[in-house]
Amino acid sequence: MTPTILLISASGLSVAQAIAREFPHSEIVSTLPQLPATEGYTRIDSYDRFLAGQFHQREAFVFVGALGICVRYIAPHVADKRTDPAVVCVDSTGRYAVSVLSGHVGGANRLTREVAACTGAEPVITTQSDRTDLWALDTLGQRFGWSVRTAWPEADPALQTDAHAALNRCISLFVAGQPTLLCIEADVPGADYLERTCPPHVCLRRGSPRPDDANRYRLLLLLSPRAHDGLGLPCLQYVPRILHVGIGLARQAGPTEEVVQALRDSLLAHSLLPEAVARIATIDLKRDEPVVRQLAQTLPVDFYDAATLTQVDVPHPSPTVAGHVGTPSVAEAAALLSAGEDAQLILPKQKGRNYTLAAAVPAGTMQAHGHIEIVGAGPGDPELISVRGRHFLQKADLILY
C-alpha cells in the first residue's frame, strides 16, 4: 500500500518525512508555502479540491495534523467501506496514529500499525474485532484468497438478497460473542490459522453442518467448496479455490455461452460451487475450441496430450472416446492430472449434451476419514513434549492418554 501523505501543519513536516521514508513511492501533498520544491513533494492550492478529484482514485491517505481537520476534509467524500480508501491520521508531534476510515476492507488498521512503527506513535484502532482479538470476517477471505458467500434463513427475506447487509449482520453476531459454529470441510492454507486462533465462543468442527446445529448456534462459519442450503442459520461461507475441473467437448460445442453455463450448472447440481474452481483441464486437441477460449479468460487451463491422459487410471473409461481422440478418458483423467499426484476425484464424469465434466482436488484436501498420530510423552512431564508433538495435540479433536 502506498499512501498519499497530506501535511496540514508545518510542525508535522518531520513526521511526514519519516512516513515517506518508510513508503518510498509515497507523496507528501500540502498547501504550505515552505514545502520543499523537490521530488516527492506536491504543492496544491486547496485540500478540498484535491480530495474532490483524488479521494477515490488513491488507495490510502495519511493526514498529518489534527483529527478534527482530517474528518472535516474527508466527510463529503465518504461513500462505502467497500470502495473508500484507507485513511489514517497522525498528530503533528507523532504521538498517535489513528485509524480513521476503512479499517478492515481498505487496510487502514494495518496501515496504522505500519505508520506507528516508523514514527514511534501509539496506534489507535477502535474496530471491535481488533480490540478483542477476533477475526476480521470481512477481510478473512481476502487474506487467504477465498471467495465469500452469505446465506440467511427464510425468516428474513431481505437479507437473503442483500449480501452486503447479510455480511454485516454476520459480523455483528460474531463480535457480540454469539454461539458460533465453524465447520472446516477443506484442509487448505488458512485452516490451521483458524484452528490456532479460534475464539472461545466458536465451536470448531472438522466436518459438515448437521440438521440440529440451528438449535445450538446463532451463526455458522463454513470453509468449504460445497454448497450448503437450508441450514436454518445465518451463514458466512469462505470458498477456497481447490477444484480442478476436467472437461471433454464435442467438436465446436455451442452455443458457447450455453455450454459454459451448463458446466456451471452441472457443478451446482452436485453441490460444488463454481467459485471453488482453481483450474480447467482438457485434451490439447481442444485448445482452440470457443468454450475453452472463453473459460481461459477467467481461469488457467491445463492441456494434456492423449498419450499422457491414457496413463491415468479412471473409474469410467470409454472406448468411444478412445476411438475419437486416442484416450479412453478426457474429463476424469485431465482433472486428476491437473490436481496433482494422488489427487482425489470428488465428482466422477458427468455427461451433458455436448460436454463431459469431472472434478478433482489435491491429495489430502478433503479427507472423508480421520487421522491418528502417536505422540510420545517422553519422561511424562508435559513441558518436555516435542514442538511437533505439541502441535498435533493442539490440533487434535480427541486425545487418548
Side-chain angles (χ1 to χ4, degrees):
M1 181 179 293
T2 302
T4 297
I5 304 164
L6 289 175
L7 177 60
I8 307 299
S9 168
S11 60
L13 179 58
S14 62
V15 174
Q17 290 170 331
I19 298 169
R21 286 193 293 271
E22 183 70 15
F23 300 92
H25 300 291
S26 61
E27 173 187 16
I28 297 177
V29 176
S30 183
T31 61
L32 298 173
Q34 59 267 52
L35 198 70
T38 58
E39 185 179 358
Y41 298 85
T42 300
R43 175 86 181 278
I44 58 174
D45 58 5
S46 166
Y47 295 113
D48 286 321
R49 283 193 289 273
F50 177 79
L51 289 171
Q54 295 295 316
F55 190 73
H56 284 103
Q57 306 302 316
R58 306 197 181 200
E59 61 179 348
F61 293 89
V62 175
F63 280 76
V64 180
L67 177 60
I69 295 174
C70 166
V71 171
R72 282 195 292 272
Y73 277 133
I74 70 172
H77 314 293
V78 175
D80 189 311
K81 74 174 187 178
R82 292 169 292 181
T83 56
D84 288 336
V87 177
V88 174
C89 183
V90 184
D91 69 278
S92 59
T93 68
R95 184 171 180 181
Y96 297 106
V98 184
S99 178
V100 180
L101 183 68
S102 201
H104 285 156
V105 178
N109 291 354
R110 184 177 70 253
L111 179 60
T112 296
R113 295 186 182 95
E114 293 172 351
V115 168
C118 70
T119 60
E122 179 180 344
V124 179
I125 296 171
T126 58
T127 43
Q128 186 173 354
S129 58
D130 288 86
R131 303 315 309 163
T132 54
D133 291 325
L134 296 175
W135 301 320
L137 297 185
D138 49 353
T139 58
L140 191 61
Q142 178 184 348
R143 176 175 180 177
F144 294 107
W146 304 329
S147 300
V148 180
R149 307 175 82 238
T150 57
W152 207 264
E154 294 180 0
D156 200 336
L159 292 177
Q160 289 185 312
T161 57
D162 189 339
H164 180 54
L167 172 61
N168 286 337
R169 286 284 292 276
C170 287
I171 292 172
S172 296
L173 290 169
F174 181 69
V175 299
Q178 294 295 323
T180 299
L181 173 64
L182 167 62
C183 288
I184 298 178
E185 291 189 329
D187 195 0
V188 295
D192 279 353
Y193 166 78
L194 296 179
E195 285 190 322
R196 290 195 312 272
T197 60
C198 191
H201 71 285
V202 177
C203 175
L204 189 148
R205 179 188 300 160
R206 281 278 185 170
S208 304
R210 301 167 187 158
D212 63 343
D213 287 333
N215 299 325
R216 302 176 57 192
Y217 303 102
R218 295 287 308 281
L219 173 67
L220 172 65
L221 304 179
L222 186 60
L223 176 59
S224 174
R226 299 188 185 278
H228 291 270
D229 298 318
L231 297 170
L233 274 172
C235 176
L236 180 57
Q237 180 172 356
Y238 298 101
V239 185
R241 290 185 175 272
I242 57 174
L243 298 182
H244 294 250
V245 174
I247 60 171
L249 294 167
R251 187 174 181 276
Q252 294 298 305
T256 301
E257 292 286 351
E258 290 183 11
V259 177
V260 171
Q261 186 59 48
L263 293 170
R264 292 173 58 88
D265 292 344
S266 184
L267 289 173
L268 285 169
H270 294 86
S271 299
L272 294 174
L273 295 169
E275 305 100 291
V277 177
R279 306 184 74 86
I280 301 292
T282 189
I283 191 168
D284 58 0
L285 298 175
K286 301 298 180 180
R287 186 184 299 272
D288 295 323
E289 287 284 341
V291 170
V292 173
R293 289 204 302 269
Q294 177 154 327
L295 290 171
Q297 292 177 11
T298 55
L299 289 166
V301 181
D302 298 323
F303 296 100
Y304 302 98
D305 58 33
T308 302
L309 293 168
T310 302
Q311 302 301 313
V312 182
D313 185 23
V314 297
H316 302 100
S318 169
T320 302
V321 173
H324 282 92
V325 295
T327 174
S329 173
V330 173
E332 290 180 334
L336 288 166
L337 283 170
S338 179
E341 187 176 359
D342 297 325
Q344 175 187 358
L345 192 69
I346 63 169
L347 179 62
K349 181 172 67 175
Q350 305 297 310
K351 294 182 181 180
R353 183 174 62 85
N354 49 10
Y355 69 87
T356 58
L357 173 145
V361 295
T365 302
M366 297 186 68
Q367 295 290 347
H369 51 78
H371 173 76
I372 297 176
E373 193 74 34
I374 298 175
V375 177
D381 186 343
E383 296 298 323
L384 298 179
I385 295 175
S386 69
V387 173
R388 181 175 173 82
R390 188 177 298 277
H391 175 69
F392 283 124
L393 291 174
Q394 290 172 340
K395 290 181 61 177
D397 294 312
L398 176 67
I399 300 173
L400 298 177
Y401 184 75

